[in-house]
Amino acid sequence: MLELSNEQISGWVGQFLLPLFRIAAMLMVMPIIGTQLVPNRVRLYLALAISVVLVPTLPPMPQVDALSLRSLLLILEQVLIGAMFGFILQLFFHLFAVAGQIIAMQMGLGFASMVDPTNGVSVPVLGQFMLMLVTLLFLAINGHLVVLEILAESFVTLPSGQGLMVNHYWELAGKLGWVIGAGLLLTLPMVTALLVINLAFGVMTRAAPQLNIFSIGFPLTLAMGLVIFWVGLSDFGNLFQALASEALQQLSEFALVR
């Protein structure tokens, strides 16, 4: 008859469950996989599959009693680390969605909304278009594979039981201000061009008060906004690559991966 000691059970539980909680937390929060389009059961199966592949290559985990307070604290630590991984990626993706919404509002296309199937909320069509475009580009450059590689290396650089380095994460949170600069970089050229068009219509209204500016200005602003948006997409690939590299670099710094 096979008999297992408490030490053996605790070792197996810690060796498999602690990585599973970190991986599952990231998959539940990160974009693409962590959206409403992917059922929770599929995310759980994917987390189990990744854990089965990674666990044999990971360093030894701390052996603790599965029902002790220390094990609960270790699980909470893994969930926080995995959730922060997903949160950094969410910031990167929603940067483009918000930029598309700002441009849509400026060009008068804000009334054209659709339900975002990933979040279940109504957003302008340009924001949804930007989010879909960024998702496809991120998968095309194998960004999801880079994220999984950083996650696997984080078990070496951020081992379980080491504790959360609050000072390091606080400094990293201060560096996330690049998101605001990136949003301005995306929206400022198009918003400036649309502002010039609106100023031109204002001058026309002042010069010819009898001109019905609403019947002329609204469709023309909408058409010019679409043209400006189309022209702005010509260099979108290089801009996306630079921002994606910055986001993955922030993710590496969070995981202390060099």
Side-chain angles (χ1 to χ4, degrees):
M1 182 177 180
L2 179 63
E3 295 183 359
L4 300 175
S5 63
N6 292 333
E7 290 78 10
Q8 290 175 324
I9 296 176
S10 299
W12 291 347
V13 169
Q15 188 68 24
F16 184 78
L17 282 187
L18 292 180
L20 175 63
F21 277 105
R22 183 183 298 192
I23 296 171
M26 187 194 74
L27 295 182
M28 292 295 177
V29 178
M30 70 176 293
I32 304 175
I33 300 176
T35 60
Q36 295 182 1
L37 295 176
V38 181
N40 292 331
R41 184 175 299 178
V42 174
R43 282 179 258 176
L44 180 58
Y45 290 157
L46 185 59
L48 287 172
I50 296 175
S51 300
V52 169
V53 174
L54 283 182
V55 163
T57 64
L58 299 181
M61 298 291 167
Q63 295 187 6
V64 293
D65 187 3
L67 301 179
S68 64
L69 178 61
R70 185 166 183 263
S71 65
L72 294 179
L73 293 177
L74 287 176
I75 290 174
L76 179 60
E77 176 191 12
Q78 302 309 304
V79 171
L80 288 176
I81 293 176
M84 284 300 298
F85 268 74
F87 177 71
I88 294 174
L89 293 175
Q90 285 283 4
L91 282 179
F92 169 68
F93 272 72
H94 284 283
L95 160 69
F96 295 91
V98 173
Q101 294 177 21
I102 294 174
I103 297 171
M105 293 296 181
Q106 186 67 25
M107 63 189 291
L109 200 60
F111 66 90
S113 300
M114 63 177 295
V115 177
D116 183 6
T118 60
N119 299 312
V121 296
S122 181
V123 297
V125 290
L126 280 186
Q128 182 66 14
F129 172 78
M130 293 286 286
L131 187 59
M132 294 173 60
L133 180 61
V134 168
T135 301
L136 294 176
L137 288 176
F138 190 76
L139 295 175
I141 65 174
N142 292 328
H144 57 296
L145 300 181
V146 177
V147 172
L148 291 178
E149 181 181 2
I150 296 175
L151 177 65
E153 294 182 2
S154 70
F155 288 99
V156 179
T157 57
L158 293 175
S160 302
Q162 183 183 13
L164 297 177
M165 293 172 289
V166 180
N167 293 333
H168 168 69
Y169 298 149
W170 185 259
E171 293 177 0
L172 182 61
K175 295 180 181 179
L176 292 178
W178 69 271
V179 175
I180 300 176
L184 292 176
L185 184 64
L186 282 171
T187 60
L188 192 58
M190 300 182 189
V191 170
T192 303
L194 292 171
L195 180 61
V196 172
I197 294 175
N198 290 328
L199 289 176
F201 281 121
V203 173
M204 291 172 58
T205 306
R206 190 68 176 176
Q210 68 275 12
L211 183 65
N212 190 353
I213 196 63
F214 291 102
S215 61
I216 300 176
F218 179 75
L220 189 57
T221 302
L222 184 59
M224 291 300 298
L226 291 175
V227 173
I228 294 172
F229 182 76
W230 175 65
V231 173
L233 290 179
S234 60
D235 195 42
F236 184 78
N238 296 329
L239 182 60
F240 170 80
Q241 187 174 4
L243 295 178
S245 300
E246 180 67 24
L248 294 175
Q249 179 63 32
Q250 294 290 336
L251 194 63
S252 300
E253 292 184 9
F254 171 79
L256 299 178
V257 176
R258 303 299 180 186

